[in-house]
Amino acid sequence: MANITDVAKKAGVSIATVSRVINGNTNVRENTKQTVLKAISDLNFTPNINAQGLQKKITKTIGLIFPDASSYYFAEIIRGISSRLRKEGYHIIVASSHDEEDEVNTLISLLKSGRVDGMILMMPSIQNVNVFKDSLVHTPVVYLSTGINTSQSTTVVLDNYQAAKDITEHLIWHGHKRIAFIHGAPRNFDSMERYNGYVDTMKNHNFEVSKTLESHGNFTEASGFKSAMELLNQKVRPTAIFAANDAMAIGTIEAAKRLSLKIPDNIAVVGFDDISTAQYIDPALTTVKVPVYKVGQIVGRSLFNQLTDGKKNIIEEKIVIPLKVLIRKSCGCSYEDDKFL
Amino acid sequence: MANITDVAKKAGVSIATVSRVINGNTNVRENTKQTVLKAISDLNFTPNINAQGLQKKITKTIGLIFPDASSYYFAEIIRGISSRLRKEGYHIIVASSHDEEDEVNTLISLLKSGRVDGMILMMPSIQNVNVFKDSLVHTPVVYLSTGINTSQSTTVVLDNYQAAKDITEHLIWHGHKRIAFIHGAPRNFDSMERYNGYVDTMKNHNFEVSKTLESHGNFTEASGFKSAMELLNQKVRPTAIFAANDAMAIGTIEAAKRLSLKIPDNIAVVGFDDISTAQYIDPALTTVKVPVYKVGQIVGRSLFNQLTDGKKNIIEEKIVIPLKVLIRKSCGCSYEDDKFL
DNA sequence: TATTCGAATGTAAACGTTTTCAAAAATATA
DNA sequence: TATATTTTTGAAAACGTTTACATTCGAATA
């Protein structure tokens, strides 16, 4: 494989000149530039990334740590991030893992070995965040859906709170007073915020908020099914259930069917995310749309800004993504969704 | 950040010795080894990956190119690959893109710039595969779900053909003769193999195989809905539909409901993949289980083998993953699936 | 034509490792 | 104890770039 010296020889110039044209330096005569470009193309030369990284101390690579639970929208997120960062020449290293310690280690090693220029952290489970903060003070990083308050870095969060309020208000508008909430995974930031939106809205209306109206799942359909069963088997049933995500809402619908309850007449159900199944399930699920691809792009752009601004003047920034409620039928609306025809 | 020279100074040895310790070279006296180790830990030193890569010509990184369509199981695949490769110290660079040319470019640049030691290619759409082959002769690579026949490399494929035969046979066992097939994305290898299994089985039984029993989708629920509508609106309807994946099968179920057809009585439906929704949809979907995580691990192991064996003696190898039919209700079986309770 | 000055180019050092080869130290052998 | 052998260590080159600095070139000015 050709290296810069081969190119220099072929073009009859020094390697410095070759380097200059590679890096778009203006101080090269048009004439020689063309000669070099020709040599590069003739020899099918690509600069060695390790040598470049060694010199420039950048790798044009960013790290992305993602948690187990997020799998369903992960590909979309990546695509969003990648679409934004690709055009700047960045690549993405991903790391997933089943246990937190492993994640921490991966992160640290990625950082310390100089493998990445920046990081995107999807760590919805707040717990370990402080372990990271120390390692990250001098690294461009954006946190996604994390409750962390960081100086020196950017956080991108969904407007879970407002959207949860909106969708709860909608249920109340339908006349519901006994509205139950199914939590997602323990300590999950998104789930907690959605819960806060729900609770505050209930309180604003002086409606009951109690443990009997809450149940704890872990974002899976199965857990939603189980949680819903608990809620629905009480002597006094809720008339509506707000699940912290769509998968659990779908589990809830399944549970209601098992108990021969009509949706939305006997029990209304709403979710969060707008996964693709939401519109196909019967009845179509009223939920909150999370624009995953777009979130990815925003995260990508935000990281790129930090990368180019340099670590010295990173601005603490919190980007809040607004969310919209998607009215379908499971809440009681009769709006006919003509999705296909 | 400390470098190898700092460590050497602190330990009172030469950088060569430090390097030996780092790389587990045996020819270091236990005594000095401990001193060096102490210095490394005191200074919190991690070898610079670019310098290592420049010298050793390996990066401990592998590239993973994935197509748009595969998004739903992508996170699981990554997790599988990563779980296998992580323990060998490898990282994963991912690249997705919306158009094929972009993919090719990414691939080539990843390879040529020395950023990756090997590649995993998920390129279910056969088309462009030959473009790659040339660039890849000297690179460890494993193809996933690709129809390509390569010397010098490994291919991991699902046993689509056999599983499609099995599930078609099952429909026939239920008494169906007019069985329709909904294709996935054009030129998609998995879809084509599934079709072949279907067609051969039909022919074996001397059942009709014709264009009126085929429709073309693109793996999405919406396309399944549309394709099913076409099939079901014919004067003579099929009595069963085999969709090339679950998403389209779910679209098919939706379509049948729209037309007030009972499943499985008026029309049986089967899919492929076993996505999580398959068991929740009503009726629960009979399908073929694709063990995605396991596939990821197999792919990871296979690439690792190539990586360690060195490129000289790579064995052409084709790994076929056996698949099992999952009987639920949409085929007409009355087996009661007690998934939760 | 000689002089000055800016632009274009080249030389060589630097980035942080690994590794070859030689030297030194430790150990075994006589 | 002297010598041969093996093990451990160090010096220096190499990997392929970028870049500070020095040099050369060409054009513009006098």
Side-chain angles (χ1 to χ4, degrees), chain A residues 1 44-51 53-54 57-61 66-72 74-76 78-79 82-83 86 89 91-98 102-103 106 108-115 220-223 225-226 229 250-251 254 257-258 276-277 279-282 293 336-341, chain B residues 1 44-51 53-54 57-61 66-72 74-76 78-79 82-83 86 89 91-98 102-103 106 108-115 220-223 225-226 229 250-251 254 257-258 276-277 279-282 293 336-341:
Chain A
M1 192 147 295
N44 197 16
F45 163 77
T46 307
N48 180 291
I49 195 76
N50 288 313
L54 183 55
K57 294 171 185 293
I58 65 170
T59 58
K60 287 277 183 179
T61 308
F66 70 101
D68 267 13
S70 65
S71 48
Y72 91 90
F74 175 64
E76 271 309 285
I78 280 216
R79 216 165 262 130
S82 149
S83 84
R86 170 74 45 78
H91 289 278
I92 300 175
I93 283 191
V94 297
S96 156
S97 67
H98 290 287
D102 202 22
E103 251 172 55
T106 305
I108 307 277
S109 92
L110 238 34
L111 238 36
K112 284 184 51 190
S113 65
R115 210 185 277 263
T220 65
E221 291 185 14
S223 77
F225 182 91
K226 222 164 128 259
M229 278 298 192
I250 288 165
E254 182 76 11
K257 284 180 182 168
R258 280 287 173 92
S276 71
T277 314
Q279 60 179 309
Y280 295 95
I281 193 126
D282 181 39
Y293 183 82
E336 183 65 32
D337 186 1
D338 253 346
K339 49 198 149 158
F340 294 134
L341 297 181
Chain B
M1 189 146 294
N44 197 15
F45 163 78
T46 308
N48 180 292
I49 194 76
N50 288 311
L54 183 56
K57 292 167 187 296
I58 64 171
T59 58
K60 286 278 184 178
T61 307
F66 71 98
D68 266 16
S70 64
S71 50
Y72 92 89
F74 175 64
E76 272 308 286
I78 280 215
R79 217 165 260 127
S82 151
S83 83
R86 170 72 47 78
H91 290 277
I92 300 176
I93 282 189
V94 298
S96 156
S97 67
H98 289 287
D102 202 23
E103 252 172 55
T106 305
I108 307 276
S109 92
L110 238 35
L111 237 38
K112 285 184 50 193
S113 65
R115 211 185 278 263
T220 64
E221 292 184 16
S223 76
F225 182 91
K226 221 165 127 261
M229 278 298 190
I250 289 165
E254 182 76 11
K257 285 180 181 168
R258 280 287 175 93
S276 72
T277 313
Q279 60 179 308
Y280 295 93
I281 194 126
D282 181 39
Y293 183 82
E336 183 65 33
D337 186 3
D338 253 348
K339 50 197 147 152
F340 294 133
L341 297 179

Side-chain angles (χ1 to χ4, degrees), chain B residues 145-314:
Chain B
S145 280
T146 305
I148 190 176
N149 252 8
T150 64
S151 51
Q152 301 284 47
S153 68
T154 299
T155 313
V156 175
V157 293
L158 307 176
D159 199 353
N160 289 302
Y161 180 77
Q162 185 58 49
K165 284 185 88 160
D166 292 347
I167 204 166
T168 308
E169 284 288 2
H170 182 73
L171 286 172
I172 290 171
W173 174 85
H174 271 291
H176 294 284
K177 292 181 160 59
R178 289 190 61 77
I179 304 175
F181 184 87
I182 302 181
H183 292 265
R187 297 185 314 279
N188 179 279
F189 178 67
D190 289 320
S191 175
M192 285 164 56
E193 287 288 291
R194 289 165 197 181
Y195 175 72
N196 291 340
Y198 152 80
V199 162
D200 287 359
T201 308
M202 294 295 277
K203 285 186 178 156
N204 286 346
H205 286 267
N206 294 314
F207 291 161
E208 181 189 344
V209 173
S210 77
K211 290 295 163 211
T212 62
L213 288 175
E214 287 178 34
S215 185
H216 292 262
N218 65 3
F219 284 137
T220 64
E221 292 184 16
S223 76
F225 182 91
K226 221 165 127 261
S227 298
M229 278 298 190
E230 287 169 17
L231 292 169
L232 294 173
N233 277 328
Q234 297 172 101
K235 50 266 144 238
V236 188
R237 275 206 304 269
T239 64
I241 295 182
F242 174 11
N245 78 342
D246 283 356
M248 293 194 300
I250 289 165
T252 300
I253 288 176
E254 182 76 11
K257 285 180 181 168
R258 280 287 175 93
L259 298 174
S260 302
L261 296 171
K262 286 262 168 283
I263 306 165
D265 300 334
N266 303 137
I267 179 81
V269 178
V270 300
F272 213 107
D273 281 351
D274 192 32
I275 66 178
S276 72
T277 313
Q279 60 179 308
Y280 295 93
I281 194 126
D282 181 39
L285 186 65
T286 291
T287 187
V288 173
K289 180 172 184 64
V290 177
V292 186
Y293 183 82
K294 209 172 106 193
V295 170
Q297 290 187 304
I298 290 171
V299 167
R301 165 163 57 67
S302 171
L303 184 60
F304 178 66
N305 289 342
Q306 285 191 52
L307 251 14
T308 47
D309 288 359
K311 14 210 158 193
K312 43 266 178 194
N313 48 354
I314 289 173

